[in-house]
Amino acid sequence: MRPMLILPLLALTAAAQPATKPKTPADVIAAAPASAWKTIPAEDLLVMDLANGSRVVIQLAPAFAPVHVANIRAFARSGWWNGGKAAIYRVQDNYVVQWGRNETKDPMPAGVVELPPAEYHRQLQGLAVRPLGYSDQYAPGAGHALGWPVAYNPTEGSANLTHCYGYVGVARDLSPDTGNGSELYAIIGHAPRALDRVIAVVGRVVSGMEKMSAFPRGTEALGIYKDRAQDIKIASVQMASEMPAAGRPSFQYLDIQSAAFGEYLQLRANRKDDFFIRPAGGIDLCSASVPIRATPAR
Amino acid sequence: MRPMLILPLLALTAAAQPATKPKTPADVIAAAPASAWKTIPAEDLLVMDLANGSRVVIQLAPAFAPVHVANIRAFARSGWWNGGKAAIYRVQDNYVVQWGRNETKDPMPAGVVELPPAEYHRQLQGLAVRPLGYSDQYAPGAGHALGWPVAYNPTEGSANLTHCYGYVGVARDLSPDTGNGSELYAIIGHAPRALDRVIAVVGRVVSGMEKMSAFPRGTEALGIYKDRAQDIKIASVQMASEMPAAGRPSFQYLDIQSAAFGEYLQLRANRKDDFFIRPAGGIDLCSASVPIRATPAR
């Protein structure tokens, strides 16, 4: 028999095609001009180094959860998660990986607000939203703003970040607790959008997600590791802005107001390249991910 | 400071609450009568044992992809994937884990149809669909039928299984190839629903998914492992119906026409238990997963 090719399913990473072939989303991203990319400020990049050598970089979203983000920056600057005091201790399949310092009596670092406001959504007014153009099961509207996916409710005048794959939220106890940011989680499965207006979403993993999602699942309730020896130790968490400029990581996202982003979305909702027998004709918000790349060397 | 609790986020596995507390979806599942559970026929259970000792059990969906499923059964009965000839060779983050025998010149086992029909959807007529009650970005209708999530199009008279987390499809080459079932994949990230009417979905993982999703991601294009030494060897794949009755695995799914399933769905779309400050008021099809359990001992 002919050998089975292993390439197919979905050639997201395909190289540019000859002109006669339908464009792919990857083609559009590759061809986007430098002006369509926005560099993430170093003040918004949280750099987590695990004891095993893996690095995970998280983009924070101060426009959506300013007090929680300020807390996270204060924790990082104080070395709160450094030196083996913090770990990944929960990995629940198709749900979350969670880390931090979960049983400490240490006093909070200076500048940390112990009980932040419930930053589960923000004002819609003043937010330039690019509507997705397709419905959403969890909100009257869905689209993108400031480089982020947002669900919104014009009647209430509110907008919120969404629990998509790789998005980072603040673990909390029952209300009135809102989580102070000492413990965070990232989504490692199908988007649990029911959490959207229930927890503060503070960012997204922009690098290293493939490490976060591949840890062994915890066997205790909620995916907690049974023994503390299973915990994955965190070596340090620091703000990129506190690192020497020469060595700090840098990432860019595709401007959601750019023509390239519009074309990318249109193609993701209507793929016509070789493998796709019929285009979907639609897309859900968490599949319409904002392209991210390492900032190219000048 | 008070210690941070680690339990919250979403107590899906919570024990039954006192009567005064709002019910959770888990409460409804735990209280469902035996009559609401349907046992999966042993002819529909594919049992994959990995060389590392992990077992993965897949429920096949002959009502949706009969020729592909017949092929998979024929492969299993012939020992096609046994004895180290097959492996997991592709793990692409937020996408798929893929396995099988991908470069063989061996003749197909007896009974395998080399080029099955394109079983990417089936006739809607004759399918008792329970509508989800919420919209879908990928089809005019969404709901459940025969214990499976389905998207459907009344105008075309078609219905299809959906690419939800843990669902299993048949890897294929470019059309006109439809995949013969020798290579399969399971979804390990946010549902890539754009694949729905493009590939044959043949089943879902009912046990062992937490092993499948936690393998190291491949670093080559499309998540292929760079070295064949990284491949995760498969020891055997057999039909449960070919195993001794005493030791074979058995699973049940919650009847989608039962009152319990209706209540479960209603609560998943409108959680009001302690952690949920406001109910979502909606749900997407791939979040409305059909509850599965090991068949209780009599």
Side-chain angles (χ1 to χ4, degrees), chain B residues 26 52 59 77 96 127-128 140 142 148-149 181 185 219 226 229 238 247 256 270 291:
Chain B
N52 67 16
Q59 177 186 6
R77 277 194 292 260
V96 297
L127 204 58
W148 299 91
Y185 63 87
T219 54
K226 187 181 176 82
Q238 53 190 327
I256 60 103
N270 300 281

PDB file of all heavy atoms in Angstrom, chain B residues 26 52 59 77 96 127-128 140 142 148-149 181 185 219 226 229 238 247 256 270 291:
ATOM      1  N   ALA B  26     -22.507  17.864  39.146  1.00  0.00           N
ATOM      2  CA  ALA B  26     -22.003  16.608  39.730  1.00  0.00           C
ATOM      3  C   ALA B  26     -23.044  15.959  40.636  1.00  0.00           C
ATOM      4  O   ALA B  26     -23.163  14.733  40.679  1.00  0.00           O
ATOM      5  CB  ALA B  26     -20.717  16.883  40.510  1.00  0.00           C
ATOM      6  N   ASN B  52       4.034   1.666  28.200  1.00  0.00           N
ATOM      7  CA  ASN B  52       4.355   2.176  29.537  1.00  0.00           C
ATOM      8  C   ASN B  52       3.330   1.769  30.599  1.00  0.00           C
ATOM      9  O   ASN B  52       3.409   2.197  31.750  1.00  0.00           O
ATOM     10  CB  ASN B  52       4.525   3.704  29.513  1.00  0.00           C
ATOM     11  CG  ASN B  52       3.216   4.425  29.210  1.00  0.00           C
ATOM     12  OD1 ASN B  52       2.123   3.855  29.295  1.00  0.00           O
ATOM     13  ND2 ASN B  52       3.314   5.684  28.834  1.00  0.00           N
ATOM     14  N   GLN B  59     -14.575   4.798  22.889  1.00  0.00           N
ATOM     15  CA  GLN B  59     -15.889   4.360  22.428  1.00  0.00           C
ATOM     16  C   GLN B  59     -16.034   4.711  20.946  1.00  0.00           C
ATOM     17  O   GLN B  59     -15.862   5.873  20.559  1.00  0.00           O
ATOM     18  CB  GLN B  59     -17.001   5.072  23.214  1.00  0.00           C
ATOM     19  CG  GLN B  59     -18.395   4.699  22.733  1.00  0.00           C
ATOM     20  CD  GLN B  59     -19.498   5.519  23.407  1.00  0.00           C
ATOM     21  OE1 GLN B  59     -19.210   6.442  24.162  1.00  0.00           O
ATOM     22  NE2 GLN B  59     -20.741   5.182  23.112  1.00  0.00           N
ATOM     23  N   ARG B  77      -8.804  -6.495  15.450  1.00  0.00           N
ATOM     24  CA  ARG B  77      -8.926  -7.958  15.528  1.00  0.00           C
ATOM     25  C   ARG B  77      -7.728  -8.657  14.899  1.00  0.00           C
ATOM     26  O   ARG B  77      -7.348  -9.747  15.309  1.00  0.00           O
ATOM     27  CB  ARG B  77     -10.219  -8.411  14.856  1.00  0.00           C
ATOM     28  CG  ARG B  77     -11.422  -8.299  15.774  1.00  0.00           C
ATOM     29  CD  ARG B  77     -12.605  -9.065  15.217  1.00  0.00           C
ATOM     30  NE  ARG B  77     -13.111  -8.440  14.004  1.00  0.00           N
ATOM     31  CZ  ARG B  77     -14.195  -7.647  13.964  1.00  0.00           C
ATOM     32  NH1 ARG B  77     -14.893  -7.400  15.062  1.00  0.00           N
ATOM     33  NH2 ARG B  77     -14.586  -7.116  12.832  1.00  0.00           N
ATOM     34  N   VAL B  96      -3.823  18.029  18.735  1.00  0.00           N
ATOM     35  CA  VAL B  96      -4.069  16.591  18.676  1.00  0.00           C
ATOM     36  C   VAL B  96      -2.894  15.755  19.183  1.00  0.00           C
ATOM     37  O   VAL B  96      -1.745  16.167  19.130  1.00  0.00           O
ATOM     38  CB  VAL B  96      -4.341  16.108  17.228  1.00  0.00           C
ATOM     39  CG1 VAL B  96      -5.607  16.744  16.680  1.00  0.00           C
ATOM     40  CG2 VAL B  96      -3.157  16.378  16.324  1.00  0.00           C
ATOM     41  N   LEU B 127     -32.537  10.352  13.088  1.00  0.00           N
ATOM     42  CA  LEU B 127     -31.714  10.605  14.272  1.00  0.00           C
ATOM     43  C   LEU B 127     -32.545  11.403  15.282  1.00  0.00           C
ATOM     44  O   LEU B 127     -33.015  12.496  14.968  1.00  0.00           O
ATOM     45  CB  LEU B 127     -30.484  11.411  13.852  1.00  0.00           C
ATOM     46  CG  LEU B 127     -29.225  11.358  14.709  1.00  0.00           C
ATOM     47  CD1 LEU B 127     -28.707   9.943  14.851  1.00  0.00           C
ATOM     48  CD2 LEU B 127     -28.155  12.249  14.074  1.00  0.00           C
ATOM     49  N   ALA B 128     -32.748  10.844  16.463  1.00  0.00           N
ATOM     50  CA  ALA B 128     -33.536  11.550  17.481  1.00  0.00           C
ATOM     51  C   ALA B 128     -32.635  12.547  18.198  1.00  0.00           C
ATOM     52  O   ALA B 128     -31.894  12.193  19.120  1.00  0.00           O
ATOM     53  CB  ALA B 128     -34.126  10.552  18.479  1.00  0.00           C
ATOM     54  N   PRO B 140     -26.208  25.197  11.818  1.00  0.00           N
ATOM     55  CA  PRO B 140     -27.496  25.797  12.203  1.00  0.00           C
ATOM     56  C   PRO B 140     -28.050  25.216  13.502  1.00  0.00           C
ATOM     57  O   PRO B 140     -28.779  25.896  14.215  1.00  0.00           O
ATOM     58  CB  PRO B 140     -28.408  25.457  11.023  1.00  0.00           C
ATOM     59  CG  PRO B 140     -27.486  25.185   9.881  1.00  0.00           C
ATOM     60  CD  PRO B 140     -26.241  24.598  10.486  1.00  0.00           C
ATOM     61  N   ALA B 142     -27.372  22.462  17.081  1.00  0.00           N
ATOM     62  CA  ALA B 142     -26.460  21.681  17.917  1.00  0.00           C
ATOM     63  C   ALA B 142     -27.280  20.967  18.981  1.00  0.00           C
ATOM     64  O   ALA B 142     -28.258  21.512  19.479  1.00  0.00           O
ATOM     65  CB  ALA B 142     -25.422  22.580  18.574  1.00  0.00           C
ATOM     66  N   TRP B 148     -24.272  11.111  21.771  1.00  0.00           N
ATOM     67  CA  TRP B 148     -23.155  11.878  21.198  1.00  0.00           C
ATOM     68  C   TRP B 148     -23.547  13.335  20.967  1.00  0.00           C
ATOM     69  O   TRP B 148     -24.708  13.620  20.688  1.00  0.00           O
ATOM     70  CB  TRP B 148     -22.747  11.271  19.850  1.00  0.00           C
ATOM     71  CG  TRP B 148     -22.274   9.868  19.935  1.00  0.00           C
ATOM     72  CD1 TRP B 148     -23.035   8.739  19.810  1.00  0.00           C
ATOM     73  CD2 TRP B 148     -20.937   9.418  20.169  1.00  0.00           C
ATOM     74  NE1 TRP B 148     -22.256   7.615  19.952  1.00  0.00           N
ATOM     75  CE2 TRP B 148     -20.958   8.002  20.178  1.00  0.00           C
ATOM     76  CE3 TRP B 148     -19.716  10.072  20.380  1.00  0.00           C
ATOM     77  CZ2 TRP B 148     -19.809   7.235  20.374  1.00  0.00           C
ATOM     78  CZ3 TRP B 148     -18.579   9.308  20.580  1.00  0.00           C
ATOM     79  CH2 TRP B 148     -18.632   7.909  20.577  1.00  0.00           C
ATOM     80  N   PRO B 149     -22.553  14.222  21.005  1.00  0.00           N
ATOM     81  CA  PRO B 149     -22.826  15.598  20.578  1.00  0.00           C
ATOM     82  C   PRO B 149     -22.921  15.641  19.054  1.00  0.00           C
ATOM     83  O   PRO B 149     -22.108  15.013  18.370  1.00  0.00           O
ATOM     84  CB  PRO B 149     -21.590  16.371  21.060  1.00  0.00           C
ATOM     85  CG  PRO B 149     -20.508  15.349  21.120  1.00  0.00           C
ATOM     86  CD  PRO B 149     -21.157  14.027  21.419  1.00  0.00           C
ATOM     87  N   GLY B 181      -8.260   4.439   8.763  1.00  0.00           N
ATOM     88  CA  GLY B 181      -8.431   4.126  10.183  1.00  0.00           C
ATOM     89  C   GLY B 181      -7.176   3.565  10.831  1.00  0.00           C
ATOM     90  O   GLY B 181      -7.150   3.339  12.039  1.00  0.00           O
ATOM     91  N   TYR B 185      -6.380  10.079  15.755  1.00  0.00           N
ATOM     92  CA  TYR B 185      -5.934  11.175  16.628  1.00  0.00           C
ATOM     93  C   TYR B 185      -7.036  11.468  17.635  1.00  0.00           C
ATOM     94  O   TYR B 185      -8.205  11.139  17.418  1.00  0.00           O
ATOM     95  CB  TYR B 185      -5.598  12.438  15.819  1.00  0.00           C
ATOM     96  CG  TYR B 185      -6.785  13.012  15.084  1.00  0.00           C
ATOM     97  CD1 TYR B 185      -7.646  13.907  15.709  1.00  0.00           C
ATOM     98  CD2 TYR B 185      -7.064  12.639  13.773  1.00  0.00           C
ATOM     99  CE1 TYR B 185      -8.752  14.407  15.045  1.00  0.00           C
ATOM    100  CE2 TYR B 185      -8.171  13.133  13.104  1.00  0.00           C
ATOM    101  CZ  TYR B 185      -9.015  14.015  13.747  1.00  0.00           C
ATOM    102  OH  TYR B 185     -10.122  14.510  13.095  1.00  0.00           O
ATOM    103  N   THR B 219       8.398  18.513  18.724  1.00  0.00           N
ATOM    104  CA  THR B 219       9.024  19.787  18.364  1.00  0.00           C
ATOM    105  C   THR B 219       9.159  19.996  16.856  1.00  0.00           C
ATOM    106  O   THR B 219       9.534  21.079  16.411  1.00  0.00           O
ATOM    107  CB  THR B 219      10.417  19.897  19.002  1.00  0.00           C
ATOM    108  OG1 THR B 219      11.178  18.735  18.636  1.00  0.00           O
ATOM    109  CG2 THR B 219      10.328  19.961  20.514  1.00  0.00           C
ATOM    110  N   LYS B 226      10.625  14.455  16.987  1.00  0.00           N
ATOM    111  CA  LYS B 226      11.803  14.609  16.142  1.00  0.00           C
ATOM    112  C   LYS B 226      12.478  13.263  15.882  1.00  0.00           C
ATOM    113  O   LYS B 226      12.832  12.947  14.756  1.00  0.00           O
ATOM    114  CB  LYS B 226      12.795  15.562  16.830  1.00  0.00           C
ATOM    115  CG  LYS B 226      14.006  15.946  16.002  1.00  0.00           C
ATOM    116  CD  LYS B 226      14.913  16.871  16.824  1.00  0.00           C
ATOM    117  CE  LYS B 226      16.189  17.205  16.079  1.00  0.00           C
ATOM    118  NZ  LYS B 226      15.992  18.313  15.114  1.00  0.00           N
ATOM    119  N   ALA B 229      12.806   7.562  18.525  1.00  0.00           N
ATOM    120  CA  ALA B 229      13.011   7.075  19.896  1.00  0.00           C
ATOM    121  C   ALA B 229      12.081   7.771  20.882  1.00  0.00           C
ATOM    122  O   ALA B 229      11.831   7.255  21.979  1.00  0.00           O
ATOM    123  CB  ALA B 229      14.465   7.301  20.311  1.00  0.00           C
ATOM    124  N   GLN B 238      -7.053  -3.717  21.178  1.00  0.00           N
ATOM    125  CA  GLN B 238      -8.010  -4.806  20.960  1.00  0.00           C
ATOM    126  C   GLN B 238      -9.428  -4.325  21.238  1.00  0.00           C
ATOM    127  O   GLN B 238      -9.647  -3.341  21.926  1.00  0.00           O
ATOM    128  CB  GLN B 238      -7.661  -6.003  21.849  1.00  0.00           C
ATOM    129  CG  GLN B 238      -7.517  -5.657  23.326  1.00  0.00           C
ATOM    130  CD  GLN B 238      -6.940  -6.784  24.169  1.00  0.00           C
ATOM    131  OE1 GLN B 238      -7.168  -7.948  23.899  1.00  0.00           O
ATOM    132  NE2 GLN B 238      -6.184  -6.425  25.198  1.00  0.00           N
ATOM    133  N   GLY B 247     -12.677  -9.787  32.567  1.00  0.00           N
ATOM    134  CA  GLY B 247     -11.698  -8.729  32.770  1.00  0.00           C
ATOM    135  C   GLY B 247     -11.853  -7.528  31.874  1.00  0.00           C
ATOM    136  O   GLY B 247     -11.099  -6.573  31.977  1.00  0.00           O
ATOM    137  N   ILE B 256     -29.032  10.622  26.912  1.00  0.00           N
ATOM    138  CA  ILE B 256     -29.261  12.041  26.617  1.00  0.00           C
ATOM    139  C   ILE B 256     -30.751  12.377  26.561  1.00  0.00           C
ATOM    140  O   ILE B 256     -31.123  13.546  26.509  1.00  0.00           O
ATOM    141  CB  ILE B 256     -28.525  12.482  25.337  1.00  0.00           C
ATOM    142  CG1 ILE B 256     -28.992  11.675  24.110  1.00  0.00           C
ATOM    143  CG2 ILE B 256     -27.022  12.325  25.504  1.00  0.00           C
ATOM    144  CD1 ILE B 256     -29.925  12.427  23.229  1.00  0.00           C
ATOM    145  N   ASN B 270     -26.154  27.108  33.714  1.00  0.00           N
ATOM    146  CA  ASN B 270     -26.620  28.113  34.685  1.00  0.00           C
ATOM    147  C   ASN B 270     -26.149  27.759  36.086  1.00  0.00           C
ATOM    148  O   ASN B 270     -26.952  27.511  36.976  1.00  0.00           O
ATOM    149  CB  ASN B 270     -28.159  28.192  34.671  1.00  0.00           C
ATOM    150  CG  ASN B 270     -28.693  28.572  33.315  1.00  0.00           C
ATOM    151  OD1 ASN B 270     -28.667  29.737  32.944  1.00  0.00           O
ATOM    152  ND2 ASN B 270     -29.160  27.580  32.555  1.00  0.00           N
ATOM    153  N   PRO B 291     -21.906  12.832  30.258  1.00  0.00           N
ATOM    154  CA  PRO B 291     -21.260  12.136  31.385  1.00  0.00           C
ATOM    155  C   PRO B 291     -21.029  10.650  31.079  1.00  0.00           C
ATOM    156  O   PRO B 291     -21.881   9.970  30.525  1.00  0.00           O
ATOM    157  CB  PRO B 291     -22.264  12.304  32.529  1.00  0.00           C
ATOM    158  CG  PRO B 291     -23.028  13.557  32.183  1.00  0.00           C
ATOM    159  CD  PRO B 291     -23.139  13.509  30.676  1.00  0.00           C
TER     160      PRO B 291
END
